[in-house]
């Protein structure tokens, strides 16, 4: 059932962006190629024995007709020494869509970053994974959501977010990054 949700997210995201980008003259519409990311690749990227707080395995960053990019990752967040590590970030240009595969946690969305620090633009994480972003140890305000397997979360650009509590040792989710400004480095 998890793959059905993941496939649905990719399909809906791609469809919505293609629909908004279409020219009114349908004779100029170019047919694209599908990208398939099989469950075996997703499962291989999902870490169950991670010893770091966050592992973001970028599987693909695909150009969609040169108009925008779509990134696909598998992220595993882990407790360190039994505690949830600080986690607060905001992305300037990229929309993120999480689909929780396994584990449970409390995700806070909205509010403002407490003492934000801009990630330098030459940092490989910015170029390859997140686009221009700022981080912090915490979020002031925002709304907490308990999330678990099967849940989908859509986080628009300029929206602070982060896990404030992991209810399980790890939480793993697929992450679709919709990059309308084409700031992410392509990886096919």
């Amino acid at each position: 059932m998890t793959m059905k949700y993941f496939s649905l997210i990719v399909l809906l995201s791609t469809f919505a962006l293609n629909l908004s980008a279409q020219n009114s003259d349908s004779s100029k519409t170019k047919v694209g190629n599908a990208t398939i990311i099989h469950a075996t690749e997703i499962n291989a990227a999902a870490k169950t024995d991670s010893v770091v707080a966050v592992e973001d395995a970028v599987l693909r960053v695909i150009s969609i007709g040169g108009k925008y990019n779509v990134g696909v990752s598998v992220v595993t967040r882990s407790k360190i020494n039994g505690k949830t590590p600080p986690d607060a970030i905001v992305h300037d240009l990229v929309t993120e869509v999480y689909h929780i595969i396994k584990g449970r946690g409390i995700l806070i969305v909205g509010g403002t970053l407490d003492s934000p620090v801009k990630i330098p633009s030459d940092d490989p994480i910015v170029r390859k994974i997140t686009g221009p972003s700022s981080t912090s140890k915490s979020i002031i305000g925002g709304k907490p959501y308990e999330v678990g397997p099967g849940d989908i979360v859509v986080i628009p650009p300029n929206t602070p977010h982060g896990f404030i509590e992991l209810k399980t040792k790890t939480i793993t989710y697929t992450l679709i990054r919709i990059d309308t400004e084409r700031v992410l480095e392509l990886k096919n």
Side-chain angles (χ1 to χ4, degrees):
M1 182 108 106
T2 300
M3 277 310 297
K4 287 182 185 178
Y5 283 120
F6 176 74
S7 299
L8 179 62
I9 292 169
V10 173
L11 179 65
L12 290 176
S13 298
T14 304
F15 177 76
L17 288 170
N18 276 334
L19 185 62
S20 68
Q22 283 181 351
N23 188 317
S24 61
D25 180 2
S26 62
S27 66
K28 294 182 182 178
T29 302
K30 182 180 174 186
V31 175
N33 293 320
T35 299
I36 307 297
I37 301 170
H38 293 281
T40 53
E41 189 174 356
I42 293 167
N43 293 336
K47 304 292 183 191
T48 56
D49 57 349
S50 181
V51 294
V52 298
V54 180
E55 295 210 27
D56 189 329
V58 178
L59 303 179
R60 308 278 193 295
V61 177
I62 306 144
S63 175
I64 308 298
K67 295 182 180 180
Y68 61 94
N69 294 337
V70 173
V72 179
S73 292
V74 175
V75 177
T76 300
R77 294 185 175 280
S78 302
K79 287 183 177 182
I80 302 296
N81 297 322
K83 297 182 180 178
T84 303
D87 174 30
I89 194 162
V90 63
H91 310 296
D92 300 348
L93 303 171
V94 174
T95 295
E96 292 188 328
V97 181
Y98 295 7
H99 178 236
I100 310 300
I101 299 172
K102 59 185 168 186
R104 300 193 76 72
I106 307 291
L107 176 69
I108 190 164
V109 180
T112 57
L113 293 182
D114 183 21
S115 303
V117 175
K118 190 81 170 159
I119 300 173
S121 60
D122 61 346
D123 188 298
I125 290 173
V126 170
R127 289 194 326 272
K128 294 179 181 180
I129 299 177
T130 67
S133 303
S134 296
T135 62
S136 176
K137 292 190 181 217
S138 63
I139 295 173
I140 300 168
K143 183 174 180 181
Y145 298 92
E146 184 163 346
V147 295
D151 292 342
I152 296 172
V153 182
V154 179
I155 304 169
N158 299 306
T159 305
H161 58 283
F163 282 93
I164 58 173
E165 180 183 355
L166 296 182
K167 299 277 193 176
T168 52
K169 183 179 174 188
T170 62
I171 188 167
T172 302
Y173 50 96
T174 56
L175 193 155
I176 308 299
R177 291 185 172 100
I178 302 167
D179 172 19
T180 59
E181 302 298 317
R182 297 177 297 157
V183 295
L184 301 180
E185 195 172 278
L186 296 179
K187 177 181 179 179
N188 291 321

